[in-house]
Amino acid sequence: QVQFSESGGDSVQIGGSLRLSCSVSKYPISAFSIAWFRQAPGKEREGISCISSAANGGLPTYRDSVKGRFTITRDDTKNLVYLQMNNLKPEDTSIYYCQSVKLLQPSRRCGFEAVNDSWGQGTQVTVSS
């Protein structure tokens, strides 16, 4: 079974930055789109960013609320996906998860429909003044 492990979360002040890492074991991610999700207290899990496989262009997609602030990248040789988070706001406070997601056709862009039913423990990001 594929395993996702998230790290890099921390408590930071408004305007701070963090870089989250998604480590995937037991399965190569090269052929898959990978997404970052987050779930805040009392809210449903939501996709915030994803990136398609290199063969499909390695194209990123961002939720409007994080555009211009977050950047998703991937390193298939290390089976890692990153999320650079800048200018953090209190509303970014959530537990962040990564997951393989389906590719949209015919655009070949990634979406936010999970491929697997297993999730990692997530990493907590807390933003305060």
Side-chain angles (χ1 to χ4, degrees):
Q1 177 82 338
V2 61
Q3 293 179 297
F4 297 90
S5 181
E6 303 88 353
S7 62
D10 204 350
S11 296
V12 298
Q13 294 183 319
I14 294 173
S17 297
L18 288 171
R19 190 192 194 198
L20 307 184
S21 296
C22 170
S23 176
V24 185
S25 63
K26 303 295 184 180
Y27 199 92
I29 66 169
S30 60
F32 288 88
S33 297
I34 306 294
W36 283 96
F37 294 77
R38 67 185 181 187
Q39 186 169 24
K43 295 186 176 182
E44 296 183 349
R45 183 187 293 118
E46 64 175 2
I48 56 170
S49 183
C50 62
I51 185 167
S52 61
S53 66
N56 285 294
L59 303 175
T61 295
Y62 300 97
R63 180 181 173 87
D64 287 344
S65 61
V66 307
K67 285 182 179 178
R69 299 189 299 121
F70 292 8
T71 302
I72 187 170
T73 56
R74 64 190 299 155
D75 185 343
D76 290 348
T77 65
K78 298 179 179 179
N79 243 34
L80 294 174
V81 178
Y82 306 99
L83 185 68
Q84 178 65 47
M85 310 165 69
N86 297 326
N87 192 25
L88 286 162
K89 304 176 179 180
E91 50 262 46
D92 295 320
T93 296
S94 289
I95 300 176
Y96 286 72
Y97 304 87
C98 57
Q99 176 64 268
S100 298
V101 291
K102 296 182 179 180
L103 189 72
L104 301 176
Q105 299 291 356
S107 67
R108 295 165 63 192
R109 301 295 294 263
C110 57
F112 294 108
E113 183 178 356
V115 170
N116 305 293
D117 60 4
S118 61
W119 296 79
Q121 293 296 306
T123 186
Q124 177 72 51
V125 172
T126 302
V127 185
S128 61
S129 61

